[in-house]
Amino acid sequence: MLARIYRPAKTAMQSGKARTHDWRLEFEPASARILDPLMGWTGSTDMNGQVRLGFETREEAVAYAERHGIPFRLHEPHEPPVIIKTYADNFATARKQPWTH
């Protein structure tokens, strides 16, 4: 019953960063998913796969796992580089690539 503690990445569908500041504790799957032969749905006998706990800080998540004796793996978030752009850069005369219509 290994858990992983991580901070969710930004969704690819939106440009906002909502729900990326909190930390999550989720359990790793204990068994493979089962394919239902009639309907084609996937299922699992692992009930811990439904548990997702949210925490405001990494320290709170680690303390919770240690307090309850849950072995965990900590995944540090990958911070993308901050690229500062302005709208005026689109019309700069010293562009690296020529811009035409």
Side-chain angles (χ1 to χ4, degrees):
M1 186 167 83
L2 181 68
R4 63 182 185 137
I5 298 173
Y6 68 98
R7 199 169 80 191
K10 182 179 79 71
T11 177
M13 302 305 290
Q14 298 288 329
S15 62
K17 295 184 179 181
R19 299 184 185 177
T20 61
H21 302 294
D22 293 339
W23 288 79
R24 289 229 180 110
L25 184 140
E26 290 183 0
F27 291 98
E28 295 285 337
S31 61
R33 295 200 174 261
I34 303 164
L35 183 64
D36 182 61
L38 180 63
M39 299 299 290
W41 297 341
T42 57
S44 176
T45 58
D46 184 23
M47 292 296 121
N48 286 331
Q50 300 176 5
V51 177
R52 286 191 184 117
L53 300 174
F55 300 93
E56 289 186 12
T57 63
R58 174 182 53 197
E59 290 77 21
E60 288 178 7
V62 169
Y64 178 85
E66 290 174 348
R67 185 170 56 243
H68 291 283
I70 301 170
F72 63 92
R73 183 178 312 144
L74 185 64
H75 296 276
E76 291 293 331
H78 175 274
E79 296 293 333
V82 177
I83 301 172
I84 299 173
K85 299 184 207 176
T86 64
Y87 182 70
D89 290 341
N90 293 333
F91 307 102
T93 57
R95 290 176 55 95
K96 293 180 183 174
Q97 297 177 348
W99 181 73
T100 61
H101 289 317

